[in-house]
């Protein structure tokens, strides 16, 4: 959980991407309507906690007996929408550059709650929607796996 606190700042702060698609057109779950191409929508597809026993919120507790999960494995999908295929391709390359192999601290207000252990590019698939506007729209969906450290087990 809290993948948006990781994904949005990395995408919105990457100038190679925002020169193609402005940060104001990067949305969580669904694009604001009405909106015009190009834009990006990111969504958490799944989140699986590390399987541990217990209910302790102490990060020093024994993970085999009493500790809650310290690590979530989360799949995030980034969908890029644009009028031309080359714009989708260029934006996809920039998204991958912004996210693949990233790690580290998370911006406020979540800096004390989570950190990013790793972000790995998994796959992508092309798509096209004939029903968008008058001419349709090109789409590319990219999947990433995030390993999210839970620093505050009460949240």
């Amino acid at each position: 959980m809290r993948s948006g606190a990781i994904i949005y700042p990395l995408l919105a702060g990457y100038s190679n991407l925002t020169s193609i698609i402005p940060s104001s057109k990067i949305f969580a779950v669904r694009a604001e309507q009405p909106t015009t191409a190009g834009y990006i929508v990111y969504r958490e597809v799944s989140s699986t906690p590390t399987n541990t026993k217990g209910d302790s919120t102490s990060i020093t507790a024994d993970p085999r007996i009493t500790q809650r999960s310290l690590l979530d494995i989360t799949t995030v999908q980034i969908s890029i929408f644009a009028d031309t295929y080359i714009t989708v391709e260029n934006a996809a390359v920039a998204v991958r550059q912004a996210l693949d192999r990233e790690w580290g601290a998370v911006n406020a207000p979540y800096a004390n709650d989570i950190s990013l252990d790793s972000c790995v590019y998994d796959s992508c698939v092309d798509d096209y929607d004939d029903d968008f506007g008058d001419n349709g729209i090109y789409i590319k969906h990219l999947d990433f796996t995030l390993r999210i450290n839970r620093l505050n087990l009460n949240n």
Side-chain angles (χ1 to χ4, degrees):
M1 290 191 262
R2 301 235 191 262
S3 60
I6 295 167
I7 295 298
Y8 181 80
L10 290 172
L11 294 179
Y14 192 64
S15 62
N16 287 354
L17 176 60
T18 57
S19 66
I20 301 167
I21 296 177
S23 61
S24 63
K25 297 188 93 179
I26 300 174
F27 305 102
V29 183
R30 65 180 291 274
E32 291 179 8
Q33 297 300 320
T35 194
T36 57
Y39 61 92
I40 293 174
V41 175
Y42 61 92
R43 70 188 60 77
E44 190 171 287
V45 176
S46 68
S47 184
T48 306
T50 304
N51 189 12
T52 58
K53 301 174 186 175
D55 60 3
S56 175
T57 58
S58 169
I59 62 170
T60 60
D62 186 337
R64 295 166 297 166
I65 302 169
T66 60
Q67 187 181 70
R68 290 184 185 168
S69 173
L70 295 174
L71 180 70
D72 290 344
I73 310 299
T74 302
T75 301
V76 173
Q77 185 171 75
I78 314 293
S79 298
I80 304 163
F81 300 80
D83 290 329
T84 65
Y85 186 73
I86 192 68
T87 301
V88 165
E89 282 283 293
N90 291 339
V93 168
V95 165
R96 184 173 179 180
Q97 290 170 339
L99 298 179
D100 194 26
R101 303 299 175 181
E102 277 298 316
W103 61 276
V106 174
N107 295 339
Y110 303 107
N112 294 324
D113 292 341
I114 59 171
S115 70
L116 180 60
D117 181 68
S118 67
C119 179
V120 178
Y121 168 73
D122 290 326
S123 65
C124 72
V125 63
D126 287 337
D127 201 357
Y128 187 82
D129 183 357
D130 288 315
D131 296 327
F132 184 89
D134 294 332
N135 300 317
I137 194 166
Y138 293 91
I139 309 164
K140 187 175 284 280
H141 306 284
L142 293 89
D143 292 336
F144 292 84
T145 298
L146 284 65
R147 292 170 48 92
I148 301 172
N149 293 313
R150 297 178 62 217
L151 304 175
N152 181 350
L153 298 180
N154 290 316
N155 291 336

